[in-house]
Amino acid sequence: MGKNLSCGIDIGSTTTEIVVLDKDKKLIFADRTLTAGNVKKASELVFEKCLKEHNLKEDDFDQIIATGYGRKYVHFSTHNVTEISCYARGANYVDPDIKTVIDIGGQDSKVISITEKGDVNDFVMNDKCAAGTGRFLEMIAKTFGFQLSDLGTLALQSDTIIPISSICAVFAESEVISLTSQGHEKKDIINSIHHSIGERVHGMASRLTVEEKIMFCGGVAANVGMIRTLKQLFEIDELIIPENVEIIGAIGAAMYGFN
Amino acid sequence: MSKRNYLTKLPRSLHSANFVLHNNYKAYMEAQKSKNPICWVDVNFPSFLLWAMDVTTIFPQMHSAFQAQRKSVKKMMHELESKHEIPHTICGEVKGLIGCAIYHDNSAFHIPDPDFLVTANTSCNIVSKGFRYTAQYFQKDLLFADFPFSYGEVTKEMIDYSTAQVFDVIHDVERRTGRKLTYEKAFEWTENIMILFRIWEDICKINTSKPAPVDALDLYLFSSIMVTVPSHEKVVQLFINLYNELKAQEKANLKVDANEKFRILWHFLPIYSEKKYFQKMFDQNHISVASASFFPNPADWFEAWEYEFTYPLTMDQVDGARKKLRDSGDLGGNLEELVRIVVEGLLKMDVNTSINQKEQTLRTLIESFDIDGVVMHADRSCRTQTLPMHELKNRLSADLNMPVLLFDSDSMDERFFAPSQITTRFEAFVEMLNMKKSQ
């Protein structure tokens, strides 16, 4: 017999997160691992760890909801829900006043407009072009030989925006090398790349009605440079970045288990 | 997942439709053999006026759409871009039209070369440019009709101008073929088209039943036959049979999905090569495509003639409607009046109208067919129609508090179909439909 527990598993392209909520919707377990191209293994790994740590069995869960790009391949899930709906629900769990979610991940970016109940009002997605995603930052970090985690701090050292004319991340890489040769400082170029990504996301968001409060999540939410850029572009003072930003999707999935 | 009842795929009518199309292609070859004038014509020109002059009309856009349904345009697109240097940014519809001229691989029926070409610039000049390119390739004349875009009302000046444009084309065709367009012949062919539209209205109306007896996208083939195959008696009979087959299904309570959960409206062109993909997604989620924006606008549902068709529809009833149309005088008393009436209808076509009119049409369809959500296909092969879609989406979803999904793909070019991205968006849309229903 179930123990009124709901489990959410978010299988992303890079990482897999798991969250367990009890009957009072209190977070009792959270964990994370690298997906490493193996959805089955990653989901089983985090789930088995959860079972072991809390002395649980699969039957103890009323619902196991999978989300993320690998959601259909979690063989022990009871349902799967898109990450769009799960991010909406997860944001609502963190703060019911959140009306807009901006998610910039490694491979895609999305903007979701949500209701007070955490339902999706509307959404836009970019999952076809690296230019508006964290992938662009990865490429630039590699080009300059920096750690990805240092890019945000470097961007904050600059207030200069050099127009990046290429609309494609691949061609922008060549343009960046050219800008470096022209003598532009790396911090200025890095800030400009942040601005370029931010502009794409802002452009996407303009197709919706964007209302505050706005939550920023996804892998790029750890980037302080991008936080500043988004605040500038959206002309806001406050951008909510929750403590548990990596598990928002999994929280949302677990919340769906109570539906 | 519910499996569709085979009978809801309209097997009899589909068989007849294929027969009509096959004979149409045969007629092209006979025209070539007998040296009857052959014209490659744009779907936006009132081709029934050319049928009235016994000119054989071929629609390269439709021909390439049929190839796209068979998933046989990929190689053509690739060759056009690599060998013939057609820019990849040109839309698939225009590439398909050019491909009809310069690409041959025996994957589709052969179509004869034209003696001349006719195009119209209704809403989009790119198609006209494609016709110009094709005409240059064949070293044949291109006749061009310029139709003004309608931002609101269709004015007398617009009708005057467009009528003159159509007559310029007609007079040119008369000169080169030696055949005159008479009022009697023009009337006969216009009347045929009007009859088909009248039956088509009633066919589409059947889908106001719940659950829907037919997938609206399955009717698309018939709408394209209506526009591109000369509407002789066999075509009228096809539509009579289609009406009767659908009505019989409705009476036998045969539905696409007896457990219909949601009714959606599909806005704009289907994706020709991916019918099965969408059917699977609809079936998995108990969604009926109850309506589509190629359905006639319910606000225009015919009050003219006040002729009610009843089931089973017969040729006698159709002849009765024909007589009533003649007696009404609605097609004018001479050729000039007739062409003016035709032109006015053309200018009011959805492709030639502004976003406000499109919005009104969609709202009327949504209400008439009791729609739960709208799926909008932002078609790369028709950017002028795609352009207002974001605004349309925002207006409808805000005003009607209704989930509206906008996704981009390409009706013609299967290389631009991205199943995993579309699936994510579609599933999120279904989740929104479910949430809305539970409120």
Side-chain angles (χ1 to χ4, degrees), chain B residues 333-372:
Chain B
N334 56 55
L335 186 60
E336 159 113 20
E337 283 177 11
L338 175 69
V339 172
R340 287 183 71 82
I341 288 162
V342 163
V343 151
E344 186 176 353
L346 255 175
L347 292 172
K348 287 177 179 173
M349 270 189 345
D350 182 74
V351 288
N352 204 49
T353 56
S354 72
I355 185 176
N356 293 332
Q357 285 144 294
K358 289 184 202 314
E359 183 192 347
Q360 281 316 308
T361 302
L362 287 176
R363 281 177 184 267
T364 314
L365 284 168
I366 286 168
E367 192 185 344
S368 305
F369 289 87
D370 198 13
I371 297 297
D372 300 303

Side-chain angles (χ1 to χ4, degrees), chain A residues 71-72 82 85 122 128, chain B residues 393 408 421 425 427 431:
Chain A
R71 65 186 179 276
K72 293 182 193 221
T82 64
S85 297
D122 202 355
K128 289 185 178 177
Chain B
K393 171 180 179 275
D408 49 81
Q421 282 97 345
R425 285 161 175 75
E427 288 180 357
E431 285 159 11

Side-chain angles (χ1 to χ4, degrees), chain B residues 137-153:
Chain B
Y137 174 81
F138 284 121
Q139 296 286 295
K140 296 289 180 186
D141 290 338
L142 175 68
L143 312 183
F144 179 78
D146 178 34
F147 294 133
F149 190 79
S150 164
Y151 289 96
E153 276 212 45

